[in-house]
Amino acid sequence: MKVTFVSNYINHHQIPFCNACREVLGEDFVFVQTEPMAQERVQMGWHENHRPDFVKCFYEEEEVCKRLIEESDVVLFGGTDDESYIQKRLQQGKVVVRISERLYKTGQWKAVSPRGLLKKYQDHTRYRKAPVYLLCAGGYVASDFHIVRAYPGKMFRWGYFPELKEYDIARLLDRKGYGEEKKPYLLWAGRMIDWKHAELAMETAKHLKDQGLDFHLDMVGGGPFYESMEEMRQACGLQEQVSLLGFKSPEEVRELMEKADIYLFTSDRQEGWGAVANEAMNSGCALVADHMIGAVPYLVENGTNGMIYESGNKQTLFAMTERLVKDKNLCRGMGEKAYATIANTWNAGLAAKRLLQLLEGMSDGPVAVCGNGSGPCTPAPIVSERKMRRKVAREVAQILGK
């Protein structure tokens, strides 16, 4: 089976999955990159100049790439809004598997737009009976596409699959903590832009300090809100408790995660997936995350392998983090279960294996459901935003004993 993956550019979150596919398919797996990597990503440590040998660039070898897209048994298509790359294939009724984050990152109310609905019909809904399938890179993706009546019975759980690091988890957890005192160590990492909400991490640190707790928070990243974070750190008197580290390479961030006890993931609904969740959980961190982040419904079981707070409810964020800082055994237990989630289920090797089984089923006719439970390539549930919020509120009340 010949498989071509078309996306805007290869990145370190996709490479492990692509490597796993390459191991099985050999030269029959190719990644087509449609554009050079954005300079902002390069500055963050993403390595544009380290392309794997299975990557071909459309803007360098256009005819070769066109043939690959047209002649492959299956094309995986994600990360670009330009439909022209697969238009001919769609017209010919050949198998296409879309990989998509959600349609309505800023609100499902946008589905009422007539112009938007026409675009969704042209790109998606009209192929509801064609051999076009959807890998849902986020827990709310299926709900968005259900609104426009696309891909009925053809939507599957998916995500991003950064490198899986295997640890002796007991030894890893024993090494966690900040400094020689091994005080509770919190970590936040990301671009400092509005919807990442770095300020919530700083406010959480202020809350912990006000409670008289000993801890340290490192914040990694830069961007338009970096200076305001420094001003906030000074205004809150957090110079000893919080360090702003600027941009770090992906490798350096993983090293910090290996030392951190708690990872604060404060993005709002605009975080389509959030691969730092995979990385932090793989590193044995207890994750405290906003419920509207795409990865959260798939990866996190509230109160078991992490903590989920209602989006916008910062008091719950503060209370959950405080609980973990105070209870080392609870924090350690969640970190251990978080590691198991990634090591056993949400990793590139298993995702590639299941996807290739799914693709074989597509080529043969009826779609074979791969695996069971809630891992990659199982049927994607339609998660109502309203019901999810109510569910999380009930869980929070139970966890915090309210």
Side-chain angles (χ1 to χ4, degrees):
M1 179 170 57
K2 196 167 189 176
V3 177
T4 297
F5 187 170
V6 181
S7 192
N8 50 6
Y9 46 76
I10 193 80
N11 63 59
H12 63 285
H13 295 152
Q14 296 166 319
I15 289 174
F17 164 73
C18 293
N19 284 338
C21 289
R22 187 76 167 187
E23 286 180 14
V24 177
L25 298 175
E27 294 184 0
D28 284 337
F29 177 84
V30 178
F31 186 101
V32 171
Q33 176 168 303
T34 62
E35 62 188 64
M37 185 176 292
Q39 189 60 34
E40 182 184 20
R41 299 291 185 180
V42 175
Q43 291 173 349
M44 291 170 62
W46 293 24
H47 304 305
E48 159 69 2
N49 57 334
H50 296 165
R51 290 182 201 157
D53 58 7
F54 54 75
V55 174
K56 292 189 177 296
C57 297
F58 196 93
Y59 47 89
E60 294 174 354
E61 301 178 83
E62 182 173 337
E63 292 306 315
V64 170
C65 292
K66 281 183 176 179
R67 284 199 303 274
L68 284 168
I69 293 170
E70 184 176 348
E71 297 172 5
S72 293
D73 298 298
V74 176
V75 166
L76 307 177
F77 187 70
T80 173
D81 293 329
D82 188 347
E83 294 287 302
S84 65
Y85 296 104
I86 57 166
Q87 198 60 52
K88 186 174 182 180
R89 188 176 180 89
L90 290 169
Q91 292 170 352
Q92 294 173 339
K94 295 181 178 180
V95 176
V96 173
V97 180
R98 292 181 181 273
I99 302 173
S100 180
E101 295 181 5
R102 62 181 311 180
L103 291 172
Y104 303 115
K105 288 185 177 181
T106 57
Q108 290 183 332
W109 60 270
K110 288 193 171 183
V112 301
S113 164
R115 178 181 294 180
L117 286 174
L118 177 60
K119 174 67 172 170
K120 302 303 181 294
Y121 174 81
Q122 292 172 337
D123 292 349
H124 304 288
T125 311
R126 64 173 167 165
Y127 299 109
R128 54 188 284 125
K129 295 183 179 180
V132 185
Y133 306 85
L134 182 68
L135 297 180
C136 300
Y140 303 99
V141 176
S143 176
D144 284 1
F145 280 93
H146 178 69
I147 289 173
V148 298
R149 300 182 179 182
Y151 313 111
K154 299 189 293 181
M155 295 189 284
F156 302 90
R157 286 184 178 93
W158 196 246
Y160 291 87
F161 304 95
E163 178 188 2
L164 170 65
K165 292 192 174 183
E166 297 183 357
Y167 302 98
D168 179 326
I169 186 60
R171 292 185 62 187
L172 177 67
L173 294 171
D174 286 342
R175 295 197 302 268
K176 285 183 175 289
Y178 187 84
E180 294 181 3
E181 310 94 330
K182 293 292 182 184
K183 64 179 66 176
Y185 180 22
L186 286 68
L187 182 65
W188 184 97
R191 289 175 293 156
M192 291 184 177
I193 55 179
D194 55 356
W195 54 266
K196 296 280 188 178
H197 295 292
E199 79 281 357
L200 290 179
M202 195 72 74
E203 289 180 38
T204 301
K206 175 67 163 56
H207 170 83
L208 297 176
K209 181 184 178 183
D210 290 346
Q211 300 306 305
L213 297 173
D214 195 19
F215 70 96
H216 191 85
L217 167 66
D218 275 343
M219 297 184 67
V220 177
F225 286 81
Y226 182 87
E227 290 185 6
S228 64
M229 287 301 98
E230 178 57 43
E231 292 172 0
M232 190 174 180
R233 186 175 80 113
Q234 299 283 342
C236 294
L238 293 169
Q239 294 92 325
E240 292 185 9
Q241 291 85 5
V242 179
S243 299
L244 296 175
L245 305 183
F247 280 125
K248 297 285 184 183
S249 70
E251 295 79 11
E252 290 171 321
V253 173
R254 286 297 287 264
E255 290 176 3
L256 292 173
M257 287 176 172
E258 291 168 0
K259 299 173 184 176
D261 299 288
I262 301 165
Y263 188 88
L264 300 179
F265 199 5
T266 57
S267 299
D268 61 30
R269 62 182 297 132
Q270 294 185 71
E271 188 75 73
W273 177 261
V276 291
N278 305 61
E279 294 170 324
M281 293 173 73
N282 181 200
S283 302
C285 298
L287 188 73
V288 185
D290 184 298
H291 91 274
M292 287 302 295
I293 293 168
V296 168
Y298 285 174
L299 297 186
V300 185
E301 183 179 349
N302 206 358
T304 300
N305 65 350
M307 296 278 206
I308 306 172
Y309 65 92
E310 297 168 77
S311 186
N313 189 336
K314 60 184 179 181
Q315 295 303 321
T316 301
L317 165 63
F318 300 164
M320 286 183 154
T321 309
E322 179 183 341
R323 176 84 176 273
L324 291 170
V325 169
K326 288 179 175 178
D327 192 336
K328 183 176 181 179
N329 289 332
L330 177 65
C331 185
R332 181 185 177 105
M334 286 191 180
E336 185 173 9
K337 292 182 178 69
Y339 173 78
T341 298
I342 304 302
N344 298 335
T345 305
W346 281 95
N347 59 73
L350 181 62
K353 178 182 177 181
R354 287 189 175 182
L355 180 60
L356 294 177
Q357 290 173 355
L358 190 63
L359 298 183
E360 290 286 355
M362 292 172 186
S363 300
D364 295 340
V367 175
V369 175
C370 298
N372 51 46
S374 59
C377 292
T378 55
I382 297 169
V383 179
S384 161
E385 290 187 12
R386 184 176 300 174
K387 289 181 179 178
M388 186 64 172
R389 182 177 288 275
R390 290 201 295 262
K391 175 178 179 290
V392 171
R394 290 194 300 270
E395 293 169 348
V396 167
Q398 184 176 10
I399 291 167
L400 297 179
K402 294 181 180 178

